[in-house]
Structure formats: structure tokens, C-alpha cells
Amino acid sequence: MSIVKINVLTVPDEQRETLEKRFGARAGTVDSSDGFEWFELLRPVEGTDQYLVYTRWRDEESFQAWMEGPMKAAHQGGGGEGGERPKPAASGSTLWSFEVVQQAGPRKG
């Protein structure tokens, strides 16, 4: 079965739009990675300032290969004025890891 990685990002109110725009600008960069199965950026509705970045992978090796390749490259480049790297939108980050042991989808009728 697949594995799920959830990156919990603490995002102050004034940085929410910045975070969402940055993810939007990178849309599609993970889609072609070997072993990638799913992505969702989850915006908090109430009671928290934490966004969840949900990704699902075929296996741990696929996730690690993406972390060491495309993801690392995307986070190292400059892009701001004068070649400076933009300030992070999140003030904190925690990575949760899960194995999928059961799953269900809508019934086809």
C-alpha cells in the first residue's frame, strides 16, 4: 500500500495569500515524479493557523527521491529581487508520515 506525507505548516494570517500563490506557481512540479500519487493543499477553516500539505506516494523510496531531487532544487533557487530567496511564508513546519492500511472510494452505481 501507499504512504502519505503530511507537511504541517504554521502560517500567520498575513502570509496565507503568499503561501497559496507560491503553491499555485509550482502547480504541476510534483505530478511527474516517479511514484507520486496525489497532492492536496488544505487551508484551515477555523481554530488553527496550520495548513496541511498532503502528498501520497507509492513507497518511501519514491518520496525520498523527490525530496532529494526536484523538491530540494525548487527550494534552493533564488527568485526574489536581486536573486535573493524569498522569505518563507510559514513560520514552522512538521512532517507527519503514515502508511495507508485501508482505503475506500465512492461506490460505482
Side-chain angles (χ1 to χ4, degrees), residues 62-80:
S62 298
F63 172 74
Q64 290 300 327
W66 174 74
M67 286 285 290
E68 289 303 314
M71 195 285 295
K72 192 174 189 177
H75 285 83
Q76 286 180 338

Side-chain angles (χ1 to χ4, degrees), residues 19-99:
L19 178 88
E20 291 178 20
K21 282 182 179 177
R22 287 182 185 168
F23 270 94
R26 288 197 304 246
T29 58
V30 70
D31 302 15
S32 60
S33 297
D34 184 49
F36 169 78
E37 296 178 354
W38 198 258
F39 162 84
E40 291 178 321
L41 175 62
L42 306 176
R43 177 193 302 137
V45 176
E46 58 185 59
T48 185
D49 59 355
Q50 295 180 315
Y51 277 71
L52 301 181
V53 182
Y54 174 102
T55 57
R56 182 173 165 144
W57 299 87
R58 177 181 57 227
D59 51 36
E60 182 67 26
E61 293 74 21
S62 298
F63 172 74
Q64 290 300 327
W66 174 74
M67 286 285 290
E68 289 303 314
M71 195 285 295
K72 192 174 189 177
H75 285 83
Q76 286 180 338
E81 304 245 341
E84 292 180 21
R85 191 166 173 225
K87 178 181 177 244
S91 62
S93 173
T94 302
L95 183 65
W96 296 343
S97 298
F98 299 89
E99 292 178 330

